[in-house]
Structure formats: structure tokens, C-alpha cells
Amino acid sequence: MIELNHDCLWQIFTNLEQDKNSLHAAVLVNHTWCKVAIQFLWKKPFRFLYTCRKACKCLTEGRHKKARNLLATFITCIAQNQASSIINMQDFVIWTNAPRTAFDYSRFLRHIDLHDLFLALMDGVKYLISHKHLDYVIAFQHITKFLAPDDNWESAVIQEMARDICKLLVSHCSNLRYLSIDMANKQWSKENHRCSSLPNISFWITVKEIPEELLLIPTYPGATKSLSQLVEFYWGATHWTSEFLIALSKVSKRLRTLIIDMSNFGRNESNDHARNLGTLIKVQTALQEIQFIKCKPRVLPSIMQGLRTQAKSLRYFHFQGMVKDWSVFSELVHLTNIQELSFVKANFRCSEIEMLASSNFPNLTKLVFDTTSFRFPIIIPEIIIQSSGSKLRTFSLPAYFYPSYDGFVPTVALSVAKYCPNIVHFEYHVTRKEFSQLVILFASCQHLKKVMLAGNPEDANELFLQLANLELPNLREFEITAQWSYTVASLESFLVRSKAPLRSLVFRSSPCFSDDHLEAILRCLGDKLRKLYVESAQEMTKLMLSKANETITDFVYKMIDEVYNPGWLLE
């Protein structure tokens, strides 16, 4: 095996930092690999504690034991290196009996999610109770002896521990970079899911779900130093956490990324509380990315009130959700240095038109409108690129809706061809009436490298034949996510005559792709094609599938049962 140095391994593991299993395996390779991989595992240990593959078979008892072991190891590391007397470590006698560790894991901590930490505390305490640890009774008798018989002494113990652990964190872990309150998300990445052994989270989670002692973390001694270095904060609470947000605004002013997610918010929509989120935005000095996810329309203006203060630094803006009587663009038009705009599952009124007609985003390089709705047959991204398209490199409008009007044909493709000379990546939902515009776009935008076309069932032979008359010297990735019908001859003509150096081809929901189409692709592109993904209603022979597997490195074929195929396509 080639011996890789620390820097090479760090780059490799950066791409695996979400993959807990691979990192665990890397720890066992050798000492060098272990030293690097262990730092990634302990960047966010409490998130990894509850990270599993989809449909895991974890048992509650096993989860409790893992939580107890994690807390014991973590607190032992701090106890071994604790020089100050902020906390009486005797209170943690039940946690500090883990063996001495090879590393001070607490130094590697970069990410804390307060809900994960709360779950770990509950699970750890439940493990001790179920195993009737004598040390547990002794350690917390100073709490339980003052409680009435009907009081919930377990909750009292957790609250006491939550306060003390937070004090330990902010006093000892000065390298924190990421803080979050992620209370109800079930999927944390493409492959990683919330452990299925955890209790189901109700939409109406009460304010007591996270103890106040955890939410007061920005107020504890040492928080100014520890939390002042935060670069990312994710707020996904199910209730208002006003005191926490006010305190965080005083100590964390260097955030580069701020995500406000109200997908699972279930409390009163109070503008007074919402302004605390707005204040957190206002006080930032170098905010580069902000995301608003399903924010409640009633409080959205109060939350976004601080955006104008970030006009110089903000580079990326993402919005997902509904807007009723207030326009997002009333604040957005002031962000003249923005480079990326993204809107997902959003609806727009006609009042935005006047604002956008006079606006200008001179540094805009990426514009995404995915599954958006326009209340009038006026396509908002088209208005944006007319004044801000000169530097645009990515344009994505794969699905959008507007009221049907007789004779109205969108001219988005024409506008991109006219105003976006530097476009490299183009995604669009195109109708047959726009095929001629699409040809003009391909002819005008010679830098195109990646194209994705979506649409309704159409006969696409004419489009392929017209594109065959163009030279496309830079086109490397081409995807059709539409139920288009096309002959082998028209497809082959496009592949040969356009001279496109294609490396990736994707055909989704195809009603017609057959052995003959596949053979034409192999004949024209051969092993130069690195990826071919085919979804087709046509069954393909084993011989052709075997030939494709031998020729193309990444080949996937899926037969689909139901493809809407109108009769006129078969005529």
C-alpha cells in the first residue's frame, strides 16, 4: 500500500466526514490513519451517536449504553485536562470512570447540536437508573433529597447535568465552529438517518423538550471565547427560544452560514419572538450564506428585517416556502453583491415585477428556481437575467407553473441565449413550442458543458436533428428527464454531427429507449462515455446490457412499468 501523509489523508477524510462506518474502519488501518480519522469522528460525536443507516435495527437498551459510554469518555477527557474550578468534577464521578484515552477527544469537538446533547443526557441517565448504579444515587443525593415525593427527580438530575456539561463545554472546548438546534429532522444526509430506536417526535413538541439549562449555553462563563468562533448556526427548533437567541446575538457575531428552518415549528407565530432571529442576522459582521426554509409567512418580515445590514458580505441566498402578502424581493433587491440565488417550492405574486425590473445583481453566477409557481404568465427568473445575466454560469428552472393563457409561450430560453453569454450549466422544463428557442440557445452559448432538459411527452426527433446541425465542442453532460420519443436515427445524428465530447448521458422516464438506441450510443461514443443512466419502458436484452457494462464504467439501466405515452407519439 502506498503510504499517504497526514495532508493527503485529511483531504480524503474530508470527503468521508459524513460516513461514520468508513471513519470507524479507517481508525483500524494504522497509527497515522487513526490519528486523522479520529479527529473527524469526534468533530460531532453526539450527532454520530444517533446516526444510522435507513431502517436500522438498533435497540433502546443498546442506545442507552452507547450514550452512557460516550458521555463517560467525553467527560473523562475534560476531567483529565480541567485546570479551572468552574465545575466541581466530583459531581461527575459516575461519568469519569472510563479508562484513560489515547487522545484528548474533547479538543476535536467542532459541532454541537443541543437536541442531540439532550437526548444523550436522557439516554445516559436512563442507563444508570436501569442498572441501579450505586454511584448514581450518591452523586445526585444533593439534588434528590430536596425533592418532594411527586417531583420528577429524573428531570431534575438531567437539568442539573445539562447546566454543568454546558459549562464544561464552553470552558474547555474553544474550537467549536458549528452550533445547531435540530429537533425533528429524520435525515441528516443522503445516507445517514436518525436512529429508528429513538421515540417518534411529535409536531407539537413542548417548550420543555430542551431544558432551559442547555439553551442558556451562551450565558455561561467562557461562552464569549468559545462561541465567538462559530461559523455556522442552524436553528430548527419547534418552539421559540428567545433567551437563547438574544444571548447568542451577543457572543456570536462572525457567522458565515445561518440556516433558519421552521419546517417543524409548532408554536405561536409571534413577531416579537421572530425579531430575535432578525437581530441575530443584524449583528453578524461577515455573513456569506443564509437560508430560509418554510418560514411562517406571518413572521417572515420580522425575521428578514436584518438582511439589508448584510448587503456587502452576503453571497448565497436560499428560500423555500410560501409567501402570502409580502414579497421576499423587497429585502432581496438590496443584496447587490449576491452570487447565488435559490428558490425551491416557492410562489410569487405579480408585485415582484416592478422591484426586479429596476434591480441589478452584477455578480450573480447561479440562479435556481425549482418547483416554483407564478401567479401571472410572467417568469420571474427571466426578468432577473435580463439585468443580471452577464456573469451567470448556472441557470436552473426544471419545474415551474403559471396560469395558462391562449397564445402565451415562455421566452426563457431566448432570454438566456441573449443575456447569458457565459452560461455553463443549463436546466429547463421545455415545451415543444420552445424547441426552436432551445436551438438558438445552444448556438449562442458556446460554453455549455452540462444540460438537463425536462418536459411533457413530446416527439423530440425535430429537436435532435436541429441540434445535429450545430457544433457543441464543450458539451460533456446531457440529461433528458422527460417522456420524449425519438428514433435511433435522430439520436445518432445528434451524437455524430454535433461532435459533442459527451462523458455523461442520462435518459429518465423514456417510453422508447431500446437496444437499438443503446447500440447507437456505444457505436458513436464507445468507451469515451463514462456514465450512462437509462430509465425506459422498453425491456432490453441481456446481450446489450452486458456489452454496455463492459464498455461504460458507470452504467445503470432500470425498466419502468408506467410511462404516460399518448397515442399520437406512436403514429
Side-chain angles (χ1 to χ4, degrees):
M1 179 187 293
I2 299 175
E3 189 169 330
L4 300 173
N5 62 28
H6 177 279
D7 293 338
C8 291
L9 289 173
W10 190 272
Q11 290 298 322
I12 293 170
F13 293 146
T14 298
N15 295 311
L16 296 172
E17 64 179 347
Q18 305 292 342
D19 190 341
K20 180 175 70 173
N21 293 335
S22 294
L23 291 174
H24 275 299
V27 168
L28 303 177
V29 174
N30 58 42
H31 184 65
T32 303
W33 283 52
C34 178
K35 284 201 301 184
V36 179
I38 210 74
Q39 295 182 61
F40 283 90
L41 276 171
W42 281 85
K43 272 187 173 182
K44 45 184 176 183
F46 297 101
R47 175 49 51 99
F48 274 150
L49 176 63
Y50 298 113
T51 296
C52 291
R53 296 292 183 181
K54 191 174 183 179
C56 67
K57 297 181 180 180
C58 297
L59 300 176
T60 302
E61 175 65 20
R63 192 188 78 237
H64 290 174
K65 184 176 181 179
K66 288 180 181 179
R68 186 266 177 189
N69 290 342
L70 173 60
L71 287 167
T73 302
F74 188 76
I75 296 174
T76 296
C77 288
I78 295 180
Q80 291 169 356
N81 297 276
Q82 181 71 16
S84 66
S85 57
I86 294 177
I87 298 297
N88 181 8
M89 294 308 297
Q90 189 61 33
D91 290 345
F92 290 95
V93 64
I94 56 171
W95 304 109
T96 55
N97 56 0
R100 190 173 185 87
T101 59
F103 303 96
D104 179 8
Y105 298 124
S106 60
R107 290 194 303 109
F108 305 143
L109 187 69
R110 298 292 183 274
H111 177 193
I112 280 290
D113 181 87
L114 296 182
H115 193 237
D116 290 342
L117 182 57
F118 174 49
L119 291 175
L121 286 170
M122 286 198 302
D123 285 347
V125 169
K126 287 177 180 178
Y127 177 84
L128 296 176
I129 293 174
S130 64
H131 286 73
K132 299 180 180 178
H133 277 243
L134 179 62
D135 288 340
Y136 176 84
V137 178
I138 297 173
F140 291 107
Q141 61 183 355
H142 68 287
I143 301 174
T144 56
K145 68 180 181 181
F146 294 110
L147 297 177
D150 295 334
D151 288 344
N152 189 333
W153 60 273
E154 181 181 328
S155 295
V157 169
I158 291 174
Q159 290 170 11
E160 177 92 358
M161 287 185 56
R163 184 189 67 246
D164 288 348
I165 284 181
C166 283
K167 288 183 178 180
L168 282 179
L169 282 173
V170 296
S171 65
H172 186 78
C173 304
S174 59
N175 294 317
L176 284 175
R177 295 294 181 269
Y178 308 93
L179 183 67
S180 59
I181 304 178
D182 184 4
M183 292 183 67
N185 284 347
K186 294 183 178 179
Q187 183 172 345
W188 289 315
S189 68
K190 187 175 181 180
E191 300 294 335
N192 295 327
H193 294 254
R194 183 174 177 268
C195 181
S196 59
S197 70
L198 288 167
N200 291 328
I201 297 179
S202 169
F203 182 86
W204 297 102
I205 296 179
T206 66
V207 72
K208 295 181 181 179
E209 190 68 18
I210 293 183
E212 183 181 357
E213 288 76 11
L214 282 178
L215 294 176
L216 289 176
I217 187 171
T219 67
Y220 295 133
T224 301
K225 179 181 178 181
S226 179
L227 301 184
S228 64
Q229 304 301 316
L230 290 179
V231 297
E232 180 175 324
F233 174 58
Y234 173 96
W235 188 84
T238 56
H239 57 272
W240 292 117
T241 54
S242 294
E243 291 186 21
F244 166 81
L245 292 171
I246 292 171
L248 188 66
S249 299
K250 296 177 181 178
V251 297
S252 299
K253 301 181 180 182
R254 301 179 185 176
L255 294 176
R256 292 202 295 265
T257 301
L258 176 59
I259 303 171
I260 299 173
D261 185 352
M262 298 183 76
S263 300
N264 299 288
F265 187 84
R267 307 260 59 86
N268 61 310
E269 299 178 15
S270 165
N271 279 295
D272 290 337
H273 291 297
R275 290 188 185 96
N276 294 318
L277 283 168
T279 300
L280 183 62
I281 297 173
K282 280 183 180 180
V283 300
Q284 301 309 314
T285 59
L287 192 63
Q288 297 179 8
E289 175 181 345
I290 193 163
Q291 298 185 35
F292 298 94
I293 302 174
K294 296 185 178 180
C295 290
K296 306 301 180 184
R298 181 179 173 185
V299 299
L300 188 59
S302 297
I303 297 175
M304 292 183 68
Q305 63 176 336
L307 270 185
R308 298 188 190 189
T309 63
Q310 306 303 315
K312 292 183 179 180
S313 63
L314 206 60
R315 298 292 181 268
Y316 175 80
F317 178 91
H318 172 88
F319 184 88
Q320 176 183 346
M322 304 293 288
V323 178
K324 291 184 178 179
D325 300 318
W326 180 78
S327 173
V328 175
F329 289 101
S330 63
E331 298 295 333
L332 192 59
V333 292
H334 301 283
L335 307 181
T336 53
N337 287 324
I338 205 77
Q339 294 177 358
E340 298 184 20
L341 288 176
S342 174
F343 295 89
V344 177
K345 296 179 181 178
N347 68 324
F348 300 95
R349 304 175 300 143
C350 61
S351 61
E352 288 91 357
I353 308 305
E354 293 182 1
M355 298 181 206
L356 293 174
S358 58
S359 66
N360 183 27
F361 306 106
N363 298 311
L364 191 64
T365 60
K366 184 175 182 178
L367 184 62
V368 176
F369 280 73
D370 188 1
T371 317
T372 50
S373 175
F374 309 107
R375 300 187 189 179
F376 284 79
I378 299 174
I379 314 303
I380 285 181
E382 183 177 3
I383 298 174
I384 294 176
I385 62 176
Q386 288 174 2
S387 60
S388 310
S390 61
K391 294 183 180 179
L392 199 69
R393 295 178 63 82
T394 298
F395 179 89
S396 179
L397 186 59
Y400 67 101
F401 309 93
Y402 59 88
S404 58
Y405 281 76
D406 291 339
F408 175 75
V409 178
T411 56
V412 174
L414 275 180
S415 293
V416 172
K418 182 177 180 180
Y419 298 104
C420 306
N422 296 303
I423 198 76
V424 172
H425 180 186
F426 179 72
E427 298 182 353
Y428 185 53
H429 185 281
V430 60
T431 64
R432 191 176 187 180
K433 293 180 180 180
E434 298 171 87
F435 279 177
S436 59
Q437 298 181 36
L438 203 58
V439 174
I440 295 173
L441 183 145
F442 274 91
S444 303
C445 303
Q446 290 295 305
H447 300 295
L448 274 177
K449 292 182 179 180
K450 182 177 181 179
V451 174
M452 190 282 285
L453 300 176
N456 300 320
E458 305 282 6
D459 184 333
N461 285 301
E462 179 186 352
L463 175 62
F464 277 123
L465 293 174
Q466 291 186 50
L467 292 179
N469 295 324
L470 305 174
E471 284 196 14
L472 306 173
N474 295 306
L475 186 62
R476 287 171 171 75
E477 299 180 41
F478 189 50
E479 176 177 342
I480 296 177
T481 304
Q483 298 171 26
W484 288 355
S485 179
Y486 40 85
T487 64
V488 175
S490 63
L491 176 62
E492 186 169 5
S493 179
F494 162 70
L495 295 175
V496 173
R497 294 169 58 192
S498 68
K499 299 179 182 179
L502 289 165
R503 297 293 180 267
S504 173
L505 274 174
V506 177
F507 300 90
R508 299 184 189 273
S509 305
S510 173
C512 66
F513 198 99
S514 63
D515 278 359
D516 293 336
H517 291 83
L518 179 57
E519 187 173 9
I521 290 174
L522 295 177
R523 185 168 57 248
C524 297
L525 301 177
D527 58 4
K528 294 180 181 178
L529 190 66
R530 297 171 185 171
K531 175 183 177 180
L532 177 61
Y533 180 94
V534 176
E535 285 181 4
S536 176
Q538 304 297 320
E539 184 174 3
M540 304 178 74
T541 64
K542 291 183 179 179
L543 178 63
M544 284 306 302
L545 294 176
S546 177
K547 187 175 180 181
N549 273 314
E550 292 175 359
T551 308
I552 301 170
T553 304
D554 184 5
F555 172 67
V556 176
Y557 161 71
K558 291 183 179 181
M559 184 176 179
I560 49 180
D561 296 329
E562 296 183 6
V563 172
Y564 175 64
N565 197 350
W568 61 268
L569 283 177
L570 304 177
E571 296 177 358

